[in-house]
Amino acid sequence: MRDYCAIAAKYIEDVLSGKIITCKWTRAACQRQRDDLLKDWEYCFDRDAAADVCGFLELLQHVKGEHGGETLVLEPWQCFYITTVFGWKIKANGRRRFRRSILFCGKGQGKSFLSSGLGLYMLAADGEPGAEVVCAARATDQARLVFDTARDIARANPKLCDAFGIHVLQHTIVHKSSASVMKPVSAQGKSLAGKIPHFASVDETWSHRDREVLDECERGTDKRVNSLLSTISHAGENLSCVGFEQFTSAQKILSGEHTDERTFSVLYTADGFDWRSEEALWAANPN
């Protein structure tokens, strides 16, 4: 297994030194992690917990495109994102510090694969009895994108499924020994009602015209003590959408205007660059 925390630390160093071209919001996220590691406070960083998630993801195989059939190798920015979200624990009880994560980056950066892999981890490897894992979106077809990717990943990895006790059905993925289930849900048909997710992946919030899906997922995850609500999206044109609301909220956290120690945010944008420049492409597309 690779030293994922060391890879993340090198990524932070390269971002803050300017070796990697990023916007101020990415630099702020890296600086926040560096500063937090130096604090003596109620949270601690568990390198083993951080590495476990990364190691699980690198057991998975790509199922689409030119890399189909190849095992995933996490990029340094992905190691930074995953180790930060999953490595921090509350000293008093060992539960996760971060209950919310917000990631914005350009299209084509493997967001659906990442969300799907994290969903499988939270289903079968996080040790939560009766875990509900939901792939949530405003519309059913959008919700199925992440779920179908998870289903295809699982089907392509039969040894992994056998090792972790994962069973793949057409519309659900189950972990029988813990009575856990993963499924797509959306605002359509009120399929979110009554859910108490251990992990909720809310996809592409730039397309959400109202907060119905996000609010339902927040209410549900708040009823579990170690849950995670993950939002991964790219930017859109509608400044009245839920995604833009989340984007501005993340900016306030990263700028220090708003203090929220339970939400992790990282934004990959062209902010500060001429949008036509090569630097803007690098900054908004970390892959």
Side-chain angles (χ1 to χ4, degrees):
M1 183 181 292
R2 297 193 293 158
D3 189 340
Y4 303 105
C5 292
I7 295 170
K10 181 63 165 58
Y11 175 78
I12 291 171
E13 178 184 334
D14 289 345
V15 165
L16 296 179
S17 70
K19 184 176 180 180
I20 295 177
I21 298 171
T22 57
C23 70
K24 65 179 181 179
W25 305 115
T26 308
R27 292 195 296 273
C30 289
Q31 187 65 57
R32 182 191 187 190
Q33 172 68 348
R34 175 175 281 185
D35 292 344
D36 285 353
L37 288 169
L38 297 176
K39 292 180 181 178
D40 181 11
W41 58 340
E42 69 253 51
Y43 304 110
C44 61
F45 190 75
D46 186 335
R47 293 175 62 93
D48 291 336
D52 281 347
V53 187
C54 293
F56 179 91
L57 292 176
E58 289 200 340
L59 296 173
L60 308 180
Q61 292 178 358
H62 291 283
V63 292
K64 296 179 182 177
E66 61 180 308
H67 297 293
E70 297 177 11
T71 302
L72 172 68
V73 177
L74 292 169
E75 295 290 334
W77 74 272
Q78 294 171 324
C79 291
F80 161 65
Y81 166 66
I82 295 163
T83 56
T84 305
V85 172
F86 287 89
W88 283 103
K89 299 294 182 69
I90 301 171
K91 286 181 179 178
N93 54 33
R95 295 170 186 159
R96 264 186 293 273
R97 166 192 173 186
F98 289 118
R99 300 291 299 277
R100 309 277 189 272
S101 68
I102 301 172
L103 166 64
F104 273 80
C105 60
K107 285 185 175 182
Q109 305 305 297
K111 296 189 296 293
S112 294
F113 190 100
L114 196 59
S115 294
S116 302
L118 291 176
L120 290 172
Y121 176 86
M122 295 293 277
L123 172 78
D126 198 46
E128 177 77 4
E132 289 184 74
V133 174
V134 299
C135 305
R138 175 174 162 72
T140 302
D141 57 348
Q142 182 68 46
R144 288 205 65 95
L145 285 178
V146 170
F147 174 81
D148 288 349
T149 301
R151 183 194 61 196
D152 294 344
I153 290 171
R155 285 176 173 172
N157 291 265
K159 291 183 179 179
L160 178 83
C161 290
D162 289 343
F164 284 89
I166 298 171
H167 298 268
V168 184
L169 306 175
Q170 185 63 25
H171 303 295
T172 57
I173 303 172
V174 298
H175 184 245
K176 290 185 177 180
S177 64
S178 66
S180 301
V181 62
M182 179 178 184
K183 61 177 57 177
V185 296
S186 71
Q188 297 173 345
K190 303 298 180 182
S191 59
L192 274 165
K195 299 294 182 187
I196 308 177
H198 177 55
F199 179 71
S201 170
V202 184
D203 205 36
E204 303 297 15
T205 51
W206 67 268
S207 66
H208 293 224
R209 295 189 296 272
D210 57 56
R211 290 186 55 88
E212 181 178 7
V213 171
L214 191 63
D215 284 347
E216 284 287 350
C217 288
E218 285 183 344
R219 283 191 287 267
T221 52
D222 282 347
K223 294 175 183 176
R224 292 204 186 230
V225 297
N226 202 32
S227 60
L228 177 63
L229 171 56
S230 169
T231 301
I232 299 180
S233 184
H234 65 267
E237 299 176 354
N238 182 6
L239 299 188
S240 63
C241 68
V242 174
F244 187 69
E245 178 187 326
Q246 280 199 305
F247 189 86
T248 55
S249 175
Q251 287 178 319
K252 290 178 181 178
I253 293 171
L254 292 171
S255 68
E257 180 181 345
H258 175 61
T259 300
D260 184 350
E261 300 296 357
R262 307 303 299 276
T263 299
F264 171 79
S265 305
V266 61
L267 309 174
Y268 291 93
T269 79
D271 197 358
F273 299 95
D274 181 339
W275 65 270
R276 296 162 294 187
S277 68
E278 185 174 339
E279 287 82 4
L281 289 174
W282 283 103
N285 299 280
N287 256 10

